Amino acid sequence: MNIDSIKNGIVIDHIQAKRGMEIYEALNLKDLECSVAIITNAKSDKMGRKDIIKIDQAMEINMDMIGFIEPNATINIVKDNKLVDKYKVKLPEEIVNITKCQNPRCITSIEKDLNQIFTLADKENQVYRCKYCEMSLK
Ligand code: ZN
């Protein structure tokens, strides 16, 4: 993969086509001062089309957030123009404060200070259930 345009930073690769913007927004990348590039519909042997995000700055990223949106994504860490680390994200077993329970009678809808916790109930179908009321997300 071409990492020429980045000196120190992060490349999020193998994002399903059209889903890059969702990750961009979920990670609040618009708030960064550095340059951020989203490449959409890049050709991929494995995926047909994919999205790629390049962040020109070393930063902590929320792996659970990326794994929840795109469990097939890979994270590439670039230092001094070299790829120094590469790993796959995975579907998190538990997500905290990444999304909200939609059940109006759920205790998290009433007690706003509670953490929004979901646990992975069905890995195959990526089903998460609210820890409090068991309502599923998808
Ligand atoms: Zn709930």
Side-chain angles (χ1 to χ4, degrees):
M1 190 192 58
N2 178 22
I3 52 165
D4 290 352
S5 51
I6 286 193
K7 192 162 189 285
N8 292 291
I10 297 161
V11 178
I12 308 169
D13 197 4
H14 301 112
I15 304 166
Q16 218 174 90
K18 315 287 184 199
R19 211 175 260 180
M21 206 59 205
E22 204 180 320
I23 291 179
Y24 178 86
E25 280 174 5
L27 295 176
N28 283 321
L29 298 180
K30 65 171 169 16
D31 294 339
L32 295 177
E33 300 286 331
C34 68
S35 63
V36 177
I38 304 181
I39 297 124
T40 57
N41 287 328
K43 275 191 184 140
S44 161
D45 292 339
K46 242 194 293 180
M47 304 169 66
R49 297 280 171 178
K50 65 176 182 180
D51 287 2
I52 305 163
I53 299 176
K54 298 182 179 188
I55 304 163
D56 201 4
Q57 174 186 294
M59 63 177 280
E60 287 283 315
I61 45 169
N62 188 334
M63 297 285 286
D64 284 353
M65 178 78 83
I66 297 172
F68 173 63
I69 299 171
E70 184 50 89
N72 297 311
T74 49
I75 311 285
N76 302 276
I77 309 294
V78 180
K79 269 192 190 132
D80 297 322
N81 297 99
K82 288 193 193 80
L83 182 64
V84 292
D85 214 347
K86 181 174 188 160
Y87 42 96
K88 270 186 90 81
V89 299
K90 55 178 192 291
L91 216 53
E93 291 292 330
E94 186 175 88
I95 51 171
V96 181
N97 295 331
I98 282 178
T99 186
K100 284 188 168 61
C101 184
Q102 298 302 315
N103 179 0
R105 287 180 307 201
C106 179
I107 188 150
T108 60
S109 302
I110 300 153
E111 306 224 358
K112 302 290 180 196
D113 294 342
L114 277 178
N115 282 330
Q116 298 274 348
I117 304 171
F118 291 83
T119 50
L120 185 59
D122 179 351
K123 199 173 180 177
E124 200 79 15
N125 299 303
Q126 289 187 35
V127 177
Y128 282 87
R129 286 187 194 283
C130 175
K131 194 185 170 189
Y132 305 96
C133 71
E134 303 214 318
M135 184 177 262
S136 60
L137 276 179
K138 294 181 189 173

